[in-house]
């Protein structure tokens, strides 16, 4: 590893900033990186909380102003971990200033903002500046291995994509309001928050793009108690506190047509009581199938039509053997990885893309996800009419 530091600014102080902070600290300790990440500054509006979190999460300093930080010549990377309505202005400013950008998903709150970010990233790329969007689940070893199987033709022609992303932290009608329930901040509800992961994963695994959708959205709880203090996802708010409107979807369901002919069925909800973080996908081809559930993230279910009749069936592949992507950097086979490892792998790939490899997913890939999200909302607003992605 060169000693040339990569000086990082993270913008945001919530769940994603915490996960990214852990990943920036951990990546150089387990992977050989071309540059040594340096946690230079955490940017958040709230000085009392932000300065403490900066210390807790290993950042050298805190700042309350992202614009000042972006203009500093001793910052190389801007890592955007803020609500979606702020992504475009921060990313465009950072790219124009020559900073490499990692931006949390979804890229933006609408395709227009996403297009602006793509244009800025393409212009910056001509100056050797890198931009990546944080679809972290691509970096779980099991899903990365599933992609290899599909790319190698092990599943044959893809017929079905079946994706559900099921959470339940909003099942309680008194779970407090959060920016994720405010369209102006989040752009949409479960659809953009977690459905976006399913869309990205499905397109990335199959190599096919979603061309059209027929969709329904539901909002089951239309007001929620004001959040009393910054608590984690979900929990129970004060039922007597003022209730704020919810103007985003609680759940989304849609069918999708893929460019290679596959048929997709998608579901995203944060009210599937009992499902904490069941990010699932199953892909059926004419020669085989794979199935993944993040709640068993070290395992990949694989079925091959090539197995003899006397031994056909789904087998469970432990994606912790060194043969699986990223796995050999960690523990002996069978010792298992967790949610945070995908974020460390994301930082590894991002840092390596600054020096050599292309950044994937780039902003253009993330823009395609944004267009699918917009088609889902357009279809749902028109009684589920089949709507082309444009
Ligand atoms: C909330 O639903 C959330 O934190 C998502 O925003 C993340 O992208 C996902 O990884 C976990 O759940």
């Amino acid at each position: 590893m060169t000693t040339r530091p990569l000086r990082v600014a993270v913008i945001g102080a919530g769940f994603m900033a915490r996960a990214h902070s852990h990943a920036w600290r951990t990546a150089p300790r387990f992977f050989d990186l071309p540059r040594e990440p340096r946690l230079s500054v955490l940017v958040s509006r709230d000085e009392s909380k932000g300065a403490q979190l900066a210390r807790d999460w290993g950042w050298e300093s805190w700042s309350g102003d992202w614009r000042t930080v972006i203009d500093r010549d001793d910052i190389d990377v801007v890592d955007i971990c803020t609500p979606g309505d702020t992504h475009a202005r921060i990313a465009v400013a950072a790219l124009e200033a020559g900073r490499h950008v990692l931006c949390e998903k979804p890229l933006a709150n609408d395709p227009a903002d996403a297009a602006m970010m793509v244009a800025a990233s393409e212009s910056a790329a001509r100056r050797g500046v890198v931009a990546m969007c944080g679809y972290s689940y691509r970096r779980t070893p099991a899903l990365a291995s599933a992609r290899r199987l599909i790319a190698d033709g092990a599943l044959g022609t893809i017929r079905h994509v079946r994706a559900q992303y099921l959470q339940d932290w909003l099942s309680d009608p008194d779970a407090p309001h959060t920016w994720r329930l405010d369209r102006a901040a989040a752009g949409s509800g479960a659809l953009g928050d977690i459905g976006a992961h399913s869309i990205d994963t499905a397109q990335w695994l199959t190599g096919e793009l979603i061309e059209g959708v027929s969709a329904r959205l539901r909002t089951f709880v239309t007001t929620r108690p004001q959040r009393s203090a910054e608590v984690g996802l979900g929990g129970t708010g004060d039922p007597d506190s003022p209730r704020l409107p919810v103007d985003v979807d609680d759940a989304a369901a849609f069918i999708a047509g893929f460019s290679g002919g596959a048929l997709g069925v998608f579901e995203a909800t944060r009210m599937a009581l009992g499902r904490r973080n069941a990010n699932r996908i199953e892909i059926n081809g004419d020669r085989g199938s794979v199935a993944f559930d993040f709640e068993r993230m070290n395992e990949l279910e694989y079925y091959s039509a090539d197995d003899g009749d006397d031994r056909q069936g789904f087998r469970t592949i432990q994606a912790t053997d060194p043969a699986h992507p990223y796995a050999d950097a960690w523990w002996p086979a069978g010792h298992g990885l967790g949610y945070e490892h995908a974020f460390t792998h994301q930082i590894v790939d991002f840092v390596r893309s600054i020096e050599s490899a292309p950044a994937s997913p780039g902003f253009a890939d993330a823009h395609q996800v944004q267009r699918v999200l917009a088609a889902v909302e357009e279809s749902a607003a028109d009684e589920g009419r089949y709507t082309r992605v444009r």
Side-chain angles (χ1 to χ4, degrees):
M1 178 184 328
T2 71
T3 52
R4 193 155 67 95
L6 192 68
R7 299 154 302 182
V8 182
V10 68
I11 302 179
F15 176 14
M16 286 298 112
R18 185 176 182 224
H20 284 224
S21 300
H22 172 87
W24 282 112
R25 290 197 312 270
T26 306
R29 289 175 170 75
F30 284 82
F31 292 84
D32 183 22
L33 297 180
R35 300 275 293 273
E36 170 82 12
R38 216 169 109 186
L39 284 68
S40 298
V41 55
L42 177 145
V43 180
S44 73
R45 284 171 303 198
D46 177 337
E47 179 168 7
S48 59
K49 175 184 133 184
Q52 183 57 50
L53 290 178
R55 284 188 295 275
D56 293 349
W57 294 349
W59 295 88
E60 293 171 3
S61 62
W62 165 85
S63 167
D65 178 5
W66 61 265
R67 283 182 174 80
T68 307
V69 167
I70 280 176
D71 289 340
R72 283 170 42 177
D73 286 334
D74 65 341
I75 292 295
D76 305 302
V77 168
V78 172
D79 182 5
I80 303 171
C81 294
T82 52
D85 62 322
T86 64
H87 289 182
R89 58 179 175 270
I90 296 173
V92 170
L95 290 165
E96 288 175 351
R99 313 300 174 224
H100 306 292
V101 172
L102 172 60
C103 182
E104 258 298 324
K105 43 54 62 181
L107 188 65
N109 283 357
D110 57 62
D113 271 4
M116 199 163 50
M117 297 168 79
V118 171
S121 72
E122 288 169 348
S123 167
R126 291 190 281 274
R127 290 177 278 123
V129 176
V130 164
M132 181 191 278
C133 187
Y135 281 105
S136 55
Y137 287 112
R138 292 177 172 217
R139 276 116 181 155
T140 53
L143 278 179
S145 280
R147 185 167 190 266
R148 273 187 191 165
L149 277 168
I150 294 168
D152 291 349
L155 271 56
T157 302
I158 304 301
R159 301 280 190 241
H160 291 282
V161 175
R162 197 167 299 107
Q164 307 101 15
Y165 197 154
L166 313 175
Q167 295 180 335
D168 66 358
W169 56 276
L170 287 173
S171 298
D172 179 345
D174 288 331
H177 202 279
T178 161
W179 65 265
R180 293 174 191 270
L181 297 171
D182 172 9
R183 176 174 295 277
S188 62
L191 174 65
D193 182 20
I194 52 179
H197 278 300
S198 298
I199 293 165
D200 175 69
T201 302
Q203 295 186 134
W204 173 70
L205 285 178
T206 61
E208 297 187 30
L209 297 182
I210 292 173
E211 295 182 323
V213 294
S214 176
R216 290 287 195 188
L217 300 176
R218 278 288 181 279
T219 303
F220 297 108
V221 177
T222 57
T223 66
R224 289 189 178 268
Q226 195 162 338
R227 177 174 296 276
S228 51
E230 194 49 48
V231 294
L233 295 180
T236 297
D238 173 1
D240 300 326
S241 69
R243 294 185 78 87
L244 301 175
V246 173
D247 59 357
V248 295
D249 55 282
D250 283 323
F254 60 97
I255 65 165
F258 282 78
S259 53
L263 181 62
V265 180
F266 290 78
E267 190 181 359
T269 177
R270 300 178 295 198
M271 299 182 79
L273 194 56
R275 301 297 181 195
R276 298 295 192 253
N277 197 37
N279 178 3
R280 300 170 173 169
I281 190 163
E282 177 168 327
I283 297 181
N284 310 123
D286 65 354
R287 301 300 310 150
S289 296
V290 288
F292 172 80
D293 180 346
F294 180 77
E295 289 188 348
R296 301 173 68 97
M297 70 163 276
N298 292 287
E299 299 175 0
L300 179 68
E301 299 296 320
Y302 172 53
Y303 179 100
S304 171
D306 297 336
D307 290 341
D309 291 348
D310 60 341
R311 64 201 67 185
Q312 289 212 334
F314 274 92
R315 70 182 84 138
T316 302
I317 298 173
Q318 283 286 337
T320 56
D321 279 47
H324 295 280
Y326 311 105
D328 61 347
W330 298 100
W331 320 121
H335 285 63
L337 302 185
Y339 177 69
E340 77 283 8
H341 289 85
F343 288 89
T344 296
H345 302 159
Q346 179 169 262
I347 294 303
V348 170
D349 291 345
F350 176 68
V351 172
R352 288 175 174 168
S353 72
I354 290 171
E355 290 305 303
S356 55
S360 175
F363 280 8
D365 302 307
H367 184 201
Q368 160 65 13
V369 174
Q370 222 59 52
R371 287 195 293 260
V372 175
L373 295 172
V376 167
E377 295 220 75
E378 184 180 339
S379 170
D382 189 4
E383 294 298 302
R385 177 178 56 81
Y386 192 75
T387 302
R388 290 257 169 229
V389 175
R390 57 178 188 281

